[in-house]
């Protein structure tokens, strides 16, 4: 792989950070149970991650009447998780996000979340960036980049979205909801770490007996997570031996010490509107996660949640 001077600078920014870093989390918390695990895991990893803000992301499926409703339900679920964790101090840092998806690749959706990210990111620098962990449709982040393109040089995005490049299609929920937003993030040159869903982090699953053993009775949060995960699994047709992906946790884990994941540098793929990727070897580089150390990461997750 030929590396230009610009790519060399980008590679340096895509290295795992040493020491404690400032982060914001963008999450469609009510959509699935894995967002709740990820939010709690992030808060419980304060030795490495200094959580500065939480943004509610839009989503639209059977749990919402539209993106705005999904965002509002996610906002309320964030507050619920903070209550269960007895972290009232963090509630002042929760922001509502976009009430709709991007209509095109040039017009942002203004929201409290996007405006907060713009303002907050401008306080950082290339040498000391703000890390943006995104685990839903990436509308809020793309909107902020459109509103203030300069923040591209002051943030690093860690996004769980899209499928693996070897997967037969790219019909993945986070990406498919707002392809325009994904194209902005993959195309603008912002430092990006991608955690693909199907084909990579889809292997990060847990089961009912495992949750009961490690989390039941540890605290209010753990009981809520066990009960909600079990209910979700049964609602999705899980049988007596169900497992449930808790994949959003992997986006948080990329920033942690612990050898939880393997990744490579690759030229940024192009999310197309027909559920596929296009490829261009002239594109800038991103960091692409291709393997999750499932057992090691779950051990750390369970230990921290039970604290």
């Amino acid at each position: 792989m030929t590396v230009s001077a610009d790519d060399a600078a980008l590679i340096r920014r895509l290295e795992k950070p040493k020491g404690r870093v400032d982060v914001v989390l963008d999450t469609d918390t009510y959509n699935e149970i894995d967002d709740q695990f990820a939010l709690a895991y992030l808060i419980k990893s304060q030795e490495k991650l200094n959580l500065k803000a939480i943004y509610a992301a839009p989503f639209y499926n059977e749990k919402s009447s539209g993106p705005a409703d999904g965002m509002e339900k996610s906002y309320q679920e964030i507050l619920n998780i903070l209550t269960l964790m007895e972290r009232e101090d963090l509630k002042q840092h929760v922001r509502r996000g976009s009430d709709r998806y991007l209509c095109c690749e040039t017009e942002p959706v203004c929201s409290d979340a996007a405006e907060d990210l713009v303002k907050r990111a401008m306080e950082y620098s290339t040498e000391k960036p703000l890390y943006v962990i995104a685990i839903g449709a990436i509308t809020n982040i793309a909107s902020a980049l459109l509103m203030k393109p300069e923040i591209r040089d002051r943030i690093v995005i860690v996004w769980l979205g899209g499928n693996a490049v070897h997967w037969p299609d790219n019909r993945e929920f986070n990406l498919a909801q707002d392809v325009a937003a994904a194209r902005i993030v993959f195309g603008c040159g912002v430092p990006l770490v991608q955690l693909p869903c199907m084909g990579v982090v889809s292997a990060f699953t847990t089961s009912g007996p495992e949750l009961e053993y490690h989390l039941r009775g540890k605290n209010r949060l753990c009981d809520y997570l066990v009960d909600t995960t079990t209910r979700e699994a049964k609602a999705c047709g899980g049988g007596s031996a169900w497992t449930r992906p808790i994949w959003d946790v992997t986006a948080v884990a990329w920033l942690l010490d612990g050898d939880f994941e393997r990744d490579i540098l690759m030229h940024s793929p192009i999310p197309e509107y027909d559920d596929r990727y296009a490829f261009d070897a002239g594109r800038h580089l991103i960091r692409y996660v291709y393997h999750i150390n499932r057992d090691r990461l779950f051990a750390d997750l369970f230990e921290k949640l039970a604290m």
Side-chain angles (χ1 to χ4, degrees):
M1 179 186 295
T2 302
V3 178
S4 67
D6 288 342
D7 275 338
L10 190 58
I11 291 170
R12 287 193 294 272
R13 297 175 64 196
L14 284 169
E15 293 176 352
K16 283 203 174 188
K18 297 178 181 179
R20 195 166 185 244
V21 296
D22 291 350
V23 303
V24 298
L25 177 68
D26 189 76
T27 164
D28 57 346
T29 328
Y30 195 78
N31 166 48
E32 274 271 18
I33 185 58
D34 51 336
D35 292 80
Q36 290 92 325
F37 278 87
L39 172 57
Y41 187 44
L42 196 166
I43 293 171
K44 294 279 191 172
S45 300
Q46 58 185 348
E47 79 287 346
K48 178 73 175 185
L49 306 178
N50 182 26
L51 180 59
K52 307 297 286 187
I54 309 168
Y55 305 143
F59 75 89
Y60 180 30
N61 59 14
E62 68 281 354
K63 288 188 176 181
S64 70
S65 60
D69 180 55
M71 182 277 296
E72 181 61 30
K73 286 178 174 174
S74 293
Y75 177 84
Q76 297 299 332
E77 181 66 358
I78 292 167
L79 299 180
N80 178 46
I81 294 299
L82 296 180
T83 296
L84 290 170
M85 297 185 72
E86 299 181 355
R87 291 302 305 267
E88 299 295 320
D89 58 305
L90 289 175
K91 291 185 178 180
Q92 63 182 314
H93 303 299
V94 182
R95 299 288 184 270
R96 288 180 169 87
S98 308
D99 60 4
R100 59 194 181 281
Y101 305 125
L102 295 184
C103 66
C104 63
E105 297 176 33
T106 57
E107 297 180 19
V109 178
C110 293
S111 67
D112 290 346
E115 291 173 358
D116 183 85
L117 179 56
V118 166
K119 181 179 179 181
R120 195 176 296 277
M122 290 304 293
E123 299 173 358
Y124 293 81
S125 66
T126 300
E127 293 73 26
K128 186 180 179 181
L130 174 66
Y131 288 84
V132 180
I133 302 174
I135 52 178
I138 204 158
T139 312
N140 295 333
I141 315 306
S143 293
L145 285 162
L146 288 175
M147 293 161 65
K148 192 79 169 178
E150 298 96 306
I151 69 170
R152 183 191 73 173
D153 299 319
R154 300 167 185 263
I155 64 175
V156 175
I157 300 172
V158 182
W159 185 41
L160 185 138
N163 288 332
V165 293
H166 69 271
W167 202 254
D169 62 70
N170 202 24
R171 290 190 297 274
E172 185 279 319
F173 186 71
N174 289 349
L175 189 151
Q177 289 183 98
D178 199 337
V179 179
R183 286 170 62 88
I184 290 166
V185 170
F186 276 88
C188 71
V190 67
L192 173 64
V193 180
Q194 182 192 12
L195 291 105
C197 293
M198 297 306 298
V200 179
V201 298
S202 53
F204 191 69
T205 63
T206 189
S207 67
E210 189 173 42
L211 291 174
E212 290 286 343
Y213 178 83
H214 289 284
L215 298 184
R216 176 67 73 187
K218 297 297 191 292
N219 51 53
R220 290 173 63 202
L221 169 72
C222 285
D223 286 344
Y224 176 80
L225 293 175
V226 174
D227 291 341
T228 308
T229 306
T230 302
R231 185 167 58 249
E232 284 284 320
K234 291 180 178 178
C236 294
S240 59
W242 63 263
T243 61
R244 193 73 184 158
I246 312 294
W247 38 25
D248 284 347
V249 167
T250 63
V252 176
W254 188 85
L255 285 168
L256 300 178
D257 302 321
D259 192 26
F260 298 128
E261 299 168 2
R262 293 283 186 270
D263 58 53
I264 59 172
L265 292 167
M266 63 178 287
H267 293 286
S268 179
I270 306 167
E272 299 284 24
Y273 288 98
D274 60 356
D275 299 325
R276 67 180 182 88
Y277 288 116
F279 300 93
D280 180 352
R283 299 255 289 182
H284 63 279
L285 297 173
I286 67 167
R287 195 166 287 281
Y288 176 89
V289 174
Y290 65 86
H291 174 71
I292 308 296
N293 188 328
R294 185 264 179 208
D295 294 351
R296 183 172 295 170
L297 179 50
F298 263 119
D300 190 59
L301 173 68
F302 289 150
E303 180 181 358
K304 287 179 177 175
L305 293 181
M307 292 170 51

